[in-house]
Amino acid sequence: MTTEEKVYKQALDYALKKIEKNTVILKDSFPFVTVNGKWELCDDKDWDLEIFKDGYWCNGFWIGLLWLAYKHTKDDKFKEKAYELCRLIEPRKNSNKIHDLGFLFYPSFCVGYDITKEEYLKSVALTAADSLLSRYNEKIGGITTLGDPEECGLTAIDTMMNLPLLWWTYEKTGNEKYHDTACRHALTTQQHIVRKDGSTYHGIGFDPCTGQIKGKYTSQGANVESCWSRGQAWGIYGFAFAYKYTKKEEFLKTAEKLADYYIVNCPLDYVPYWDFNDSAIPNTVKDSSAAAITASGLLDLANVVPDKIKAEKYEQMACSILGSLTKNYLSIRSDSQAGVLLHGCFHKPKNVAIDNSLIFGDYYYMEALTKLING
Ligand code: GLY
C-alpha cells in the first residue's frame, strides 16, 4: 500500500466511525447541517407542508452514507438503519412539487438497490423517477425546479444531479422516455446554463407556457453573473455522469470544460471559495462540499474519458482535492464535531450554515474515497 492509499484508508475508517456513532445518536432523524458541531435535523414528517425548509432536499444523503458504510463493512446494522430510513422517505416518491427527487432517491434507493438487489428499493425508485419525469416541460425542454410544474419556469444547474435517477431507471427498465428526457434536459442546461468559459449560471427562468427565456438568476451565488462553486461541482459531476450513461460526446466535452474551469480557478489548496467570483476573496468562506462533489465527479470523468493524458489529469486533480480535504478539512482534531468534513457552505446569501459540516459534503467525500479504494 502506498502512503497515499494508507491516508485514504485511514480517512475512510474515520468516516465509518463517525457514521457508526451517528447511527446511534440520530435514531430515526435526518441530519443536514451542523450547528455548533451537532447535526441539525430535518425530519421527514410533514415534509409536504414544510417543503421549503432548508434541508428538504437532503434526506437521501444520510441513507446513502449508511449504504456506503454497509458496502464497505458488510455490517448489517448499517443496512437495517438504511432500510428503516428508506421507509420514512418513501411517501415522497409520489410528490412532484420539487425537482430534488434524484437527490432524495438516488443515494438512498438506487444505491441501496445496486448493493442489495432488493426489489422493494427498485420499485420505489421507479415511482420517484415517474414523479420527476412529470416535472418536464416540453416547451422549455427541461425539468423545472420547485412548485406547481404548470406554473414554474425555473431550471437550475443542480438538476443535473437529479438526472441520475432517470438514467438509472432507463438502465433498469429499458424505457427510452427516461433516457430521452434526461438527455433533453442536459442539452438545455448545456445550451443556456454553461457559459463559454466553462463556468455556470445558477439558473435560467423561462416562460412555462411559451418556453421563451425570461432571464438568468441566482439564489445561492454571489450575483447573477458569478459562478457559485457548488453549482459548478454539480455540473462537473452531472455531465460526467451523463457521458458515462449515454456516451454522447457533447456531454463529455461539457464535463471537461466545467472541470477545466474548476482546475484553473480554484485556490492553491484545491478547495474553492463558496463562489468563484466573490469580491471578498480571500476574506470569505470556502465550500468543502463543492470540493468533495468535484473530486467524486472527476474520478468518474477520469474513468470514462478515452484520452489517457486527460484521464491522468482528472484523477490527479481528484487526488489533490481529496488529499487537501483529508489533511486540512477533517473534523479529526475536534471530537465534538458530528460531521466528517468541516468548512462547508450551505447557503451564503441566506447566511445558513456558511462554515459548517454538510451531510452531502460527507456523502460525496466518502463516495470519492470508496471509488479510490475499491475502484
Ligand atoms: N439545492 C442544492 C444545493 O444547495 O446545492
Side-chain angles (χ1 to χ4, degrees):
M1 216 189 257
T2 64
T3 318
E4 237 185 9
E5 282 164 353
K6 269 191 208 144
V7 170
Y8 296 139
K9 175 84 183 51
Q10 279 165 4
L12 185 60
D13 288 344
Y14 176 69
L16 285 167
K17 281 210 183 75
K18 281 273 178 213
I19 293 168
E20 186 159 25
K21 199 167 163 192
N22 285 324
T23 306
V24 180
I25 296 170
L26 294 169
K27 300 194 174 71
D28 61 354
S29 298
F30 293 87
F32 77 108
V33 299
T34 55
V35 173
N36 298 325
K38 305 275 167 287
W39 283 118
E40 280 279 288
L41 305 175
C42 183
D43 280 346
D44 235 63
K45 298 169 201 111
D46 299 334
W47 58 268
D48 204 21
L49 300 173
E50 298 176 75
I51 206 141
F52 296 108
K53 63 187 176 185
D54 287 320
Y56 69 91
W57 58 278
C58 296
N59 291 1
F61 297 114
W62 172 227
I63 304 177
L65 277 164
L66 292 164
W67 284 128
L68 293 179
Y70 172 65
K71 187 176 175 186
H72 198 73
T73 61
K74 295 286 171 293
D75 184 334
D76 279 344
K77 72 169 171 288
F78 295 120
K79 181 166 88 168
E80 280 153 23
K81 180 55 77 181
Y83 268 121
E84 195 185 313
L85 297 179
C86 275
R87 295 214 180 266
L88 292 180
I89 70 165
E90 181 191 334
R92 296 174 74 172
K93 69 186 176 190
N94 294 312
S95 171
N96 73 350
K97 283 189 185 166
I98 53 170
H99 68 139
D100 302 276
L101 289 152
F103 281 126
L104 288 167
F105 286 89
Y106 189 84
S108 50
F109 286 80
C110 302
V111 169
Y113 176 80
D114 288 341
I115 294 171
T116 64
K117 301 288 178 270
E118 287 280 347
E119 281 304 310
Y120 158 72
L121 296 170
K122 181 162 97 179
S123 75
V124 172
L126 298 188
T127 306
D130 283 331
S131 298
L132 180 57
L133 217 55
S134 72
R135 289 201 65 85
Y136 179 73
N137 179 318
E138 188 67 52
K139 289 270 182 337
I140 294 171
I143 291 166
T144 59
T145 56
L146 301 174
D148 185 340
E150 305 292 315
E151 287 171 17
C152 176
L154 301 180
T155 59
I157 186 69
D158 322 25
T159 316
M160 285 304 298
M161 292 300 282
N162 291 309
L163 303 184
L165 175 62
L166 299 182
W167 277 308
W168 182 91
T169 301
Y170 166 63
E171 186 189 70
K172 301 295 178 263
T173 62
N175 188 331
E176 288 180 0
K177 71 180 176 187
Y178 302 104
H179 173 274
D180 294 352
T181 305
C183 283
R184 189 71 192 84
H185 180 92
L187 286 171
T188 299
T189 305
Q190 190 176 271
Q191 189 181 350
H192 296 297
I193 291 187
V194 176
R195 300 187 184 102
K196 277 201 176 60
D197 67 355
S199 67
T200 45
Y201 288 105
H202 190 175
I204 307 285
F206 294 86
D207 181 319
C209 302
T210 63
Q212 292 283 316
I213 291 186
K214 287 167 82 177
K216 287 132 187 159
Y217 74 92
T218 190
S219 88
Q220 277 157 278
N223 59 66
V224 176
E225 291 300 328
S226 75
C227 180
W228 170 48
S229 305
R230 195 157 67 250
Q232 188 74 10
W234 294 139
I236 294 167
Y237 193 124
F239 276 102
F241 198 100
Y243 177 68
K244 183 168 82 175
Y245 266 74
T246 65
K247 292 287 174 281
K248 281 184 190 291
E249 197 64 27
E250 62 232 88
F251 295 155
L252 176 64
K253 291 264 159 322
T254 303
E256 288 179 28
K257 200 166 148 179
L258 267 61
D260 292 345
Y261 178 90
Y262 183 106
I263 293 170
V264 171
N265 291 287
C266 71
L268 290 176
D269 77 347
Y270 313 107
V271 177
Y273 291 93
W274 70 282
D275 189 296
F276 281 98
N277 308 113
D278 182 3
S279 55
I281 289 173
N283 299 314
T284 189
V285 289
K286 297 241 176 141
D287 183 4
S288 58
S289 79
I293 296 158
T294 299
S296 193
L298 289 178
L299 288 174
D300 281 353
L301 187 55
N303 241 333
V304 292
V305 65
D307 182 326
K308 292 281 161 279
I309 294 173
K310 286 182 181 173
E312 213 167 284
K313 172 176 89 172
Y314 294 130
E315 180 168 342
Q316 194 43 56
M317 186 62 189
C319 291
S320 299
I321 295 172
L322 287 173
S324 176
L325 289 175
T326 304
K327 192 161 169 237
N328 295 318
Y329 290 78
L330 281 197
S331 59
I332 212 145
R333 273 172 232 95
S334 172
D335 209 33
S336 60
Q337 293 287 334
V340 174
L341 271 189
L342 302 173
H343 309 305
C345 178
F346 189 77
H347 200 312
K348 180 78 164 53
K350 268 169 63 179
N351 201 26
V352 176
I354 64 166
D355 189 4
N356 305 45
S357 294
L358 313 175
I359 196 66
F360 45 90
D362 285 6
Y363 176 75
Y364 289 103
Y365 175 67
M366 182 150 168
E367 185 188 72
L369 287 176
T370 53
K371 281 178 191 171
L372 268 184
I373 291 168
N374 303 329

